[in-house]
Amino acid sequence: SGRCARAAALLKELEERCATPLGKLRQVADAMMVEMHAGLASEGGSKLKMLISYVDKLPTGDETGLFYALDLGGTNFRVLRVQLGGKEQRVVKKEPKEVSIPPHLMVGGSDELFDFIASALAEFVASEGEDFHIPVGRQRELGFTFSFPVRQTSIASGTLIKWTKGFNIEGTVGEDVVAELTRAIERQCLDMRVSALVNDTIGTLAGARYYDNDVIVGVILGTGTNAAYVERAHAIPKWHGLLPKSGEMVINMEWGNFRSSHLPTTDYDQTLDTESLNPGEQIFEKLISGMYLGEILRNVLLRLANEAALFGDSVPPKLETPFILRTPVMSAMHHDNSPDLKVVGTKLKELLGIPNTSLKTRKVVVQACDIIAKRGARLAAAGIVGILKKIGRDSAAKDGGDTPRTVVAIDGGLYEHYNIFSECLRSTVKEMLGEEASASVVIKLANDGSSIGAALLAASHSQYL
Ligand code: ADP
Ligand code: MG
């Protein structure tokens, strides 16, 4: 029928616009590398901020004692305590707790947000059991994972550059987020010092490095997306401080803000961007991350409903609600293996109020999921390859010598739970690097690495060392 033909045509157009053939991915990887150089050369030299983290040594395993971590950067925040036992015992005990952030606090006042966090932290500290030990007279220390762009001024201070991922809190941009947190901690009468301020990418890198010495890249694929990696200090022209003893410096790329004419974008992306809290910004993130994939899908389905009557003569009103279709739902529909696509049918009905969809309609929905998710996964893969190229880890040793092992640690709910996405990312990295080079590149899930990493960095930057 005419409707089917129209739907097919729209899908085909989507597929073509979202296509990421190898040649295009190589252009994206090269553009990423070029922007990395530019961002390292000078402040403001690129869309990539390439932020200096002040982390010039990563965990070794020798860290000991009780440390706390607080991880803020998405829909939830996590608190964690770990008892570190050094090389032999490693993590003697760890206890995490997750707290969801009431949505009104994400767009409210700074004090309200930090008071809420500090109060949850105080409550958590109050529940510390006997398995955790702090020497008498010592202050508890905290690693603060704060996953927004921050201009770091030392390992334990930094000012917020901008909010992302749906946060929009007045009066915090330009402020020192450690000072904000510290004041809130004091208002709770909690005796605790913030010893390290890190980005989640750096927490992930540090947490994974603790167990594996070859980890040199950390990537987040969750609500948002970002990456950090270990750079040679003398390859950072904009760094005018002393060269660190290690000769290395961890760089927080803030790659979510990457953009390039080579990125395959569509009208749907344009709409999403225009309607977002941060138009024109975080373009790479808006193609890839968990906050946006479901919303892109909604935009596609809305157009299919409007122009091809995909769901019948009228457009389901709920489909007009921004962000009603979250990425976990998209993922559940995409992974539906049942012959009649039962999960797709149920989700459309329960979430969008669309009853009795035909198998044909459900198949269209799954196809749209596939196109959107795979574009995101392949672009993330191209970003990773761009980093590997920048640090010369994208090819096997030429003289027949040993190729060093390179580990990329990835954390985040999108990568952890969206299997089609993560599988596609890994196979695309392989496809781009080729058989030989990819043999020495390992991509692994660093589950909850970012909180542990912050605690480890608090330990290695403890006031008592
Ligand atoms: P954050 O990035 O907020 O710190 P997470 O790393 O836990 O938190 O990632 C949460 C995000 O991961 C969610 O916003 C969602 O987009 C995505 N996500 C969670 N579960 C799934 C799932 N089953 N399938 C796809 N994406 C998921
Ligand atoms: Mg996170």
Side-chain angles (χ1 to χ4, degrees):
S1 75
R3 282 176 181 181
C4 286
R6 185 76 192 120
L10 282 171
L11 262 189
K12 184 152 178 287
E13 188 193 348
L14 177 71
E15 191 160 24
E16 284 167 3
R17 291 273 162 80
C18 291
T20 50
L22 206 49
K24 194 171 213 24
L25 291 180
R26 291 202 197 292
Q27 288 175 318
V28 171
D30 288 342
M32 182 68 79
M33 188 173 61
V34 167
E35 292 302 319
M36 290 173 77
H37 276 284
L40 291 172
S42 64
E43 219 61 82
S46 164
K47 287 264 167 206
L48 291 185
K49 292 214 155 60
M50 303 300 285
L51 300 167
I52 290 166
S53 67
Y54 289 82
V55 173
D56 55 18
K57 52 181 193 291
L58 286 160
T60 59
D62 291 327
E63 298 76 11
T64 57
L66 168 62
F67 293 92
Y68 277 79
L70 193 161
D71 184 334
L72 174 71
T75 33
N76 295 311
F77 80 92
R78 302 176 187 87
V79 283
L80 172 86
R81 58 180 151 249
V82 281
Q83 187 76 43
L84 302 170
K87 271 251 154 52
E88 296 299 312
Q89 298 179 62
R90 295 278 161 161
V91 175
V92 179
K93 189 165 165 86
K94 77 172 176 191
E95 197 176 332
K97 188 180 167 198
E98 194 162 299
V99 185
S100 67
I101 302 172
H104 71 273
L105 290 182
M106 295 164 61
V107 290
S110 193
D111 282 359
E112 284 78 9
L113 177 68
F114 281 101
D115 279 339
F116 178 78
I117 291 164
S119 116
L121 178 64
E123 202 176 296
F124 183 62
V125 172
S127 74
E128 187 182 289
E130 307 232 311
D131 303 341
F132 295 93
H133 309 284
I134 187 106
V136 183
R138 277 202 180 184
Q139 202 179 14
R140 283 179 179 73
E141 292 181 285
L142 173 86
F144 181 23
T145 307
F146 184 76
S147 313
F148 300 95
V150 162
R151 177 133 2 253
Q152 229 40 67
T153 41
S154 73
I155 182 68
S157 61
T159 56
L160 177 64
I161 297 172
K162 63 174 183 182
W163 289 108
T164 56
K165 298 178 283 191
F167 278 71
N168 197 3
I169 291 162
E170 218 179 302
T172 324
V173 170
E175 297 296 314
D176 180 354
V177 292
V178 172
E180 298 276 321
L181 176 61
T182 301
R183 278 196 291 271
I185 286 175
E186 282 165 1
R187 287 195 290 269
Q188 294 292 326
C189 299
L190 177 63
D191 185 23
M192 187 176 261
R193 173 180 185 265
V194 182
S195 298
L197 169 65
V198 299
N199 186 268
D200 53 353
T201 51
I202 292 168
T204 297
L205 180 59
R209 170 69 76 100
Y210 184 63
Y211 295 106
D212 184 337
N213 237 329
D214 296 328
V215 176
I216 51 176
V217 181
V219 175
I220 295 292
L221 290 161
T223 304
T225 184
N226 190 10
Y229 73 105
V230 181
E231 183 57 278
R232 294 160 302 145
H234 66 77
I236 311 172
K238 72 178 177 184
W239 171 251
H240 300 300
L242 291 174
L243 276 191
K245 241 193 254 162
S246 65
E248 296 180 331
M249 178 62 78
V250 176
I251 299 292
N252 165 17
M253 291 175 63
E254 289 297 334
W255 87 359
N257 200 43
F258 172 71
R259 72 185 304 166
S260 157
S261 59
H262 299 301
L263 291 175
T265 53
T266 64
D267 292 348
Y268 309 106
D269 303 301
Q270 190 58 54
T271 304
L272 180 146
D273 181 47
T274 308
E275 292 173 355
S276 71
L277 280 175
N278 51 355
E281 290 175 27
Q282 301 293 104
I283 298 300
F284 199 51
E285 179 162 272
K286 286 170 181 163
L287 293 169
I288 292 175
S289 79
M291 173 155 180
Y292 302 106
L293 293 182
E295 177 65 359
I296 301 171
L297 177 65
R298 185 188 69 84
N299 279 322
V300 170
L301 296 184
L302 184 58
R303 175 127 177 242
L304 282 163
N306 266 315
E307 296 182 18
L310 183 67
F311 303 115
D313 290 333
S314 58
V315 175
K318 284 192 176 168
L319 199 52
E320 315 229 26
T321 313
F323 292 99
I324 194 171
L325 222 174
R326 315 298 308 202
T327 302
V329 171
M330 169 182 174
S331 163
M333 296 196 294
H334 197 177
H335 287 101
D336 187 354
N337 284 325
S338 63
D340 57 344
L341 297 176
K342 199 161 145 241
V343 179
V344 179
T346 311
K347 295 289 181 196
L348 291 175
K349 185 169 151 196
E350 286 175 355
L351 201 82
L352 301 171
I354 309 170
N356 308 324
T357 41
S358 69
L359 181 57
K360 233 182 200 161
T361 295
R362 294 176 191 182
K363 279 186 174 161
V364 169
V365 173
V366 174
Q367 259 179 291
C369 293
D370 199 61
I371 294 167
I372 296 162
K374 287 184 177 160
R375 177 183 64 167
R378 286 173 68 80
L379 290 175
I384 291 171
V385 171
I387 300 174
L388 297 180
K389 279 185 101 156
K390 168 71 181 73
I391 55 180
R393 297 292 187 104
D394 63 317
S395 50
K398 284 187 186 66
D399 43 20
D402 286 338
T403 307
R405 188 169 162 269
T406 300
V407 182
V408 178
I410 308 186
D411 193 8
L414 178 68
Y415 187 79
E416 185 180 356
H417 300 297
Y418 203 150
N419 295 336
I420 295 174
F421 183 99
S422 51
E423 171 51 41
C424 176
L425 183 152
R426 286 190 300 272
S427 64
T428 305
V429 169
K430 217 174 203 174
E431 184 186 341
M432 291 185 75
L433 292 178
E435 223 27 82
E436 201 192 355
S438 64
S440 55
V441 173
V442 180
I443 296 179
K444 69 175 176 194
L445 175 69
N447 209 343
D448 257 345
S450 74
S451 305
I452 277 265
L456 289 163
L457 290 167
S460 53
H461 296 86
S462 164
Q463 62 189 318
Y464 300 110
L465 285 183

